Amino acid sequence: MSGADPLLSVDGLVKHFPIRGGVLQRQVATVRAVDGVSFRIGRGETLALVGESGCGKSTVGKTIMRFHQPTAGTVRFDGRDLAAMKPRELRAVRRDIQFVFQDPFASLPARMPVGDILAEPLEIHGVGDRRSRRARVVELLELVGLGADAVNRYPHEFSGGQRQRVGIARALALEPRLLILDEPVSALDVSIQAQVVNLLARLQRQLGVAYLFIAHDLAVVQHLAHRVAVMYLGHIVEYGDADTVFTRPAHPYTQALLSAVPVPDPRLRDLDRRILLTGDLPSPADPPAGCPFHTRCWKAEERCRAERPALEVRTPGGADSACHFAAEAELTSGPAGRTAS
Amino acid sequence: MTEPLLSIENLVTEFRVEGGVVPAVNGAGYHVMPGETVGIVGESGSGKSVTVASVLGLLPSSGRVVSGTTRFAGRDLLALRERELEQIRGRDIGLVFQDPMTALNPVMTIGEQIAEGLRRHQAGLSRRAAGARVAELLAEVGIPSPKERARQYPHQFSGGMRQRAMIAMAMANRPRLIIADEPTTALDVTIQAQILDLLRRVQREHDAALVMITHDLGVIAEMTERVVVMYAGRVVETADVDSIFHRPRHPYTRGLLRSLPRLGERRDELPAIGGQPPDPRRLPDGCSFRVRCDLSGGRAECGFQPALTEVAAGHVSACHFHAELAAEEVA
């Protein structure tokens, strides 16, 4: 990242959800979905937020978009604090940050032809006149690889991959500077995933738009991300350059996660490179004390149960890692051969 | 030579929809040998799940098997009554589905459900013996405190634990065949690794055959010995797992493998397969893949349905131009 102001900076972001119960609907517990998360995204850059379900990655995206009010922390866009903004300023920033959902079918209005779906954000923000908006809609369709004849068709007439293209076109209508993409290719067929991944890479080169790419598929993430933040139970446990995180992960959770991805090559299957974690993810309503990962970690010692490790550089030239015993392991170039138990 | 445990031939299945019928399976077939692990891979609309549902009598009411033959352990499954099929499902064939929440009964405890399956197929098994066997099964699939967990309901289990319970249920009567339809698709990757490991272990211990239906080529590569690739309701290629991944002889298989993002290698552009997945209502004449195929080049032959041809020992491909792929070896 350049020395200039980052496009987005998130500092100490916290989002807790109350759990209410009993006849009085008193708050009986708190789900600590996001528990102090900080990261930066540079202009035209892709930061991937990865982790398993319940780690809080989607909540981070939604809290940045103000779908949720943050419990604590600041979100700065282009150097300006979103929380301190007047409603009018916030509306202007909203043009600059757009969201793409996992399921394009659920997120697109079913009764509207695609032309109207794409023109709607332009109308809401009073961009151009009818004619220029129509021209912009055609331009958007071509940008995402759909023909101009899509204008009069309805979402159900398209396949999943084409619908996701419509969703991306709509998000790009107002020329945003940041797209938050929440699992944008997870619902797509294998042969279509590659098309949409290529499209996202091309759009970024062409438009210079930055991505916050929220995903669980690490092979897809590696393909698109410049930098990666790995989340576990509401915390970022590893954060850095994508190549570093993927080839020399220092946090045991990242190592386990990468090693668990099935490799599409039968000749590599008996290499015993897999680190098999035992047990399930603890509940974010009752997270363990100390390091959030210690209940499943094969390196855990007394210190891990007592003291939460800070996210910082712990190995020479390595990524930031929140592990007292961080040590790089080379995973993708050969077998690591270890089983956690 | 040993007889196949399961064989499916020329299966045709269609669905009634408003204004007509839609073909879902268009003459598909494959076989599974005793103890063998076979992967069935395909995208949405490939017919991979409908084929199995047809064979097991689990089609929704709008679905109908039009023709074809299937044999399981020497018996013609399509000729059986529902009662007889029920006997086979859950006893000789264990089923594991993607979403255990829909397969499990939400108002019965996990233990009651497994015990019910045991007692249905093992006449004379006492309640107490069934209870003991349930705890044994839950322990076998790695569920901690099995006696206590048996008294809990499905919603009290995590996704991974529910899938373990479903595997316990599938294994309860020592089936000769396990059919797992996208068993790990809904699970996180670290839990997926646990469940795949478990499936591999129980299969080995019970000496059962395993049919693994999935869209995930990584899972196929890690789990299976032989692979059946389906596209638009047909089998387009079958071979041992190494040949499928390193010497594919169908352009669809080759295209899928090329388009896959892989950990540890970063390419500027993924060589994607063009076009859209097949729409069963509008299949092109001839080879269904020809509209997306980078080998066809619009050649006239592709207007005719290619037959499955043996291209090497145990390796069949349904492509007119399979020979053009023979020289290629995928690293």
Side-chain angles (χ1 to χ4, degrees):
Chain A
M1 208 186 342
S2 70
D5 262 356
L7 182 65
L8 184 82
S9 50
V10 172
D11 283 284
L13 189 70
V14 174
K15 179 62 201 174
H16 291 174
F17 294 100
I19 303 175
R20 296 185 190 281
V23 279
L24 297 174
Q25 287 297 293
R26 282 214 185 95
Q27 182 170 341
V28 292
T30 303
V31 174
R32 309 166 83 90
V34 178
D35 217 7
V37 155
S38 306
F39 58 83
R40 313 265 174 275
I41 302 178
R43 286 154 224 283
E45 178 191 64
T46 298
L47 173 75
L49 211 48
V50 307
E52 299 180 282
S53 45
C55 73
K57 59 188 192 298
S58 283
T59 306
V60 168
K62 287 174 182 153
T63 309
I64 292 169
M65 287 298 283
R66 299 270 154 161
F67 296 158
H68 302 311
Q69 275 307 314
T71 306
T74 56
V75 177
R76 287 172 184 278
F77 186 76
D78 217 1
R80 294 178 302 157
D81 185 353
L82 258 56
M85 280 184 192
K86 299 198 175 70
R88 207 163 49 90
E89 292 173 296
L90 199 61
R91 253 203 314 280
V93 171
R94 268 176 207 258
R95 283 182 57 163
D96 279 328
I97 310 177
Q98 295 289 326
F99 204 89
V100 175
F101 296 87
Q102 171 178 351
D103 180 359
F105 203 52
S107 64
L108 296 174
R111 292 168 191 284
M112 244 193 226
V114 164
D116 292 358
I117 290 173
L118 298 186
E120 193 181 51
L122 301 168
E123 282 163 25
I124 289 171
H125 285 269
V127 179
D129 55 18
R130 260 184 99 80
R131 243 183 74 187
S132 70
R133 284 200 289 263
R134 220 168 6 225
R136 174 74 178 143
V137 164
V138 171
E139 192 182 288
L140 284 166
L141 285 171
E142 278 162 4
L143 191 63
V144 298
L146 292 169
D149 63 331
V151 166
N152 296 316
R153 293 164 64 195
Y154 289 84
H156 73 262
E157 297 176 53
F158 292 94
S159 66
Q162 290 169 319
R163 280 199 295 264
Q164 194 53 292
R165 287 175 193 263
V166 174
I168 292 166
R170 180 171 66 167
L172 290 172
L174 296 163
E175 301 181 60
R177 289 191 285 163
L178 174 67
L179 280 193
I180 300 179
L181 301 134
D182 193 355
E183 302 276 10
V185 301
S186 325
L188 305 178
D189 272 315
V190 182
S191 76
I192 304 305
Q193 262 193 13
Q195 294 179 5
V196 176
V197 167
N198 286 341
L199 172 69
L200 289 170
R202 175 172 63 75
L203 289 171
Q204 186 168 62
R205 284 196 300 271
Q206 227 170 314
L207 307 172
V209 58
Y211 294 152
L212 175 60
F213 191 83
I214 300 167
H216 71 278
D217 185 327
L218 295 164
V220 167
V221 162
Q222 189 195 17
H223 205 76
L224 283 170
H226 301 106
R227 288 182 313 117
V228 177
V230 181
M231 283 189 74
Y232 188 81
L233 272 186
H235 298 271
I236 292 178
V237 297
E238 188 147 14
Y239 176 57
D241 186 64
D243 285 342
T244 310
V245 171
F246 277 99
T247 57
R248 297 182 289 130
H251 195 286
Y253 178 62
T254 314
Q255 292 166 5
L257 201 60
L258 285 165
S259 81
V261 177
V263 178
D265 184 351
R267 290 179 188 172
L268 299 177
R269 72 170 156 196
D270 295 323
L271 288 181
D272 191 28
R273 72 202 137 68
R274 183 170 287 157
I275 302 164
L276 208 55
L277 291 180
T278 49
D280 279 326
L281 192 77
S283 162
D286 185 21
C291 171
F293 187 57
H294 83 248
T295 58
R296 299 172 77 195
C297 184
W298 66 96
K299 285 186 168 179
E301 291 183 15
E302 203 42 52
R303 185 181 173 195
C304 308
R305 286 179 266 278
E307 183 193 334
R308 199 169 81 221
L311 180 65
E312 58 192 29
V313 174
R314 290 167 184 271
T315 53
D320 292 1
S321 166
C323 173
H324 295 304
F325 304 105
E328 286 176 7
E330 295 211 1
L331 286 176
T332 44
S333 56
R338 196 198 289 105
T339 298
S341 52
Chain B
M1 212 179 124
T2 338
E3 287 281 298
L5 180 63
L6 173 72
S7 67
I8 304 169
E9 277 170 57
N10 297 316
L11 184 76
V12 176
T13 299
E14 59 186 27
F15 283 98
R16 239 179 310 110
V17 294
E18 229 175 292
V21 290
V22 169
V25 182
N26 304 308
Y30 52 81
H31 69 272
V32 181
M33 301 302 286
E36 187 186 31
T37 302
V38 177
I40 316 290
V41 66
E43 300 178 90
S44 47
S46 66
K48 61 186 190 299
S49 296
V50 178
T51 299
V52 163
S54 304
V55 170
L56 297 173
L58 293 174
L59 285 175
S61 59
S62 61
R64 185 174 76 94
V65 175
V66 179
S67 58
T69 51
T70 67
R71 296 192 86 73
F72 174 76
R75 297 174 76 181
D76 180 355
L77 291 183
L78 294 176
L80 295 182
R81 288 168 214 276
E82 174 54 27
R83 286 264 312 267
E84 296 168 307
L85 259 179
E86 234 171 67
Q87 276 296 314
I88 289 180
R89 291 195 304 256
R91 189 188 62 198
D92 304 308
I93 303 179
L95 301 173
V96 180
F97 296 102
Q98 173 175 346
D99 181 7
M101 216 41 191
T102 55
L104 294 169
N105 184 341
V107 298
M108 263 172 98
T109 66
I110 294 283
E112 285 165 354
Q113 300 188 50
I114 300 176
E116 192 188 72
L118 282 168
R119 285 157 60 90
R120 189 186 306 144
H121 296 292
Q122 296 177 34
L125 188 71
S126 72
R127 202 168 284 274
R128 170 180 277 192
R133 177 84 182 113
V134 165
E136 238 176 70
L137 280 161
L138 290 177
E140 193 185 324
V141 298
I143 291 180
S145 339
K147 278 189 184 133
E148 289 71 39
R149 297 293 266 179
R151 288 195 287 271
Q152 293 185 332
Y153 292 89
H155 76 266
Q156 292 170 288
F157 277 48
S158 68
M161 284 296 162
R162 278 199 288 267
Q163 202 54 292
R164 286 178 192 270
M166 187 132 94
I167 292 170
M169 207 178 292
M171 301 312 296
N173 294 301
R174 306 193 177 281
R176 302 166 66 186
L177 174 65
I178 310 162
I179 296 181
D181 192 353
E182 303 275 7
T184 59
T185 304
L187 302 176
D188 280 315
V189 62
T190 61
I191 306 298
Q192 165 171 285
Q194 295 174 356
I195 297 297
L196 292 180
D197 200 56
L198 172 65
L199 271 174
R200 220 178 274 133
R201 182 165 62 75
V202 295
Q203 180 207 7
R204 204 178 307 129
E205 282 164 13
H206 290 249
D207 202 17
L210 173 65
V211 172
M212 195 75 187
I213 303 169
T214 176
H215 69 282
D216 187 328
L217 288 159
V219 170
I220 293 276
E222 298 220 340
M223 295 288 289
T224 68
E225 296 164 70
R226 217 153 50 76
V227 183
V228 175
V229 183
M230 291 188 69
Y231 188 83
R234 291 193 177 91
V235 172
V236 295
E237 186 165 12
T238 303
D240 63 278
V241 67
D242 195 74
S243 297
I244 286 288
F245 280 82
H246 293 283
R247 291 174 299 281
R249 298 288 292 272
H250 194 285
Y252 173 62
T253 314
R254 183 181 67 163
L256 275 184
L257 290 168
R258 282 183 175 174
S259 70
L260 222 52
R262 288 162 195 257
L263 269 183
E265 60 175 73
R266 188 171 171 144
R267 294 171 287 178
D268 281 341
E269 177 103 4
L270 294 170
I273 299 177
Q276 302 302 322
D279 179 346
R281 289 165 300 188
R282 301 184 197 90
L283 289 183
D285 294 333
C287 174
S288 307
F289 186 59
R290 71 185 162 101
V291 290
R292 304 175 71 191
C293 184
D294 59 1
L295 189 66
S296 162
R299 283 182 274 189
E301 288 90 330
C302 303
F304 300 93
Q305 179 61 45
L308 273 172
T309 312
E310 181 147 41
V311 298
H315 190 162
V316 295
S317 161
C319 173
H320 296 295
F321 303 111
H322 62 80
E324 292 171 24
L325 301 180
E328 286 182 30
E329 172 101 4
V330 183

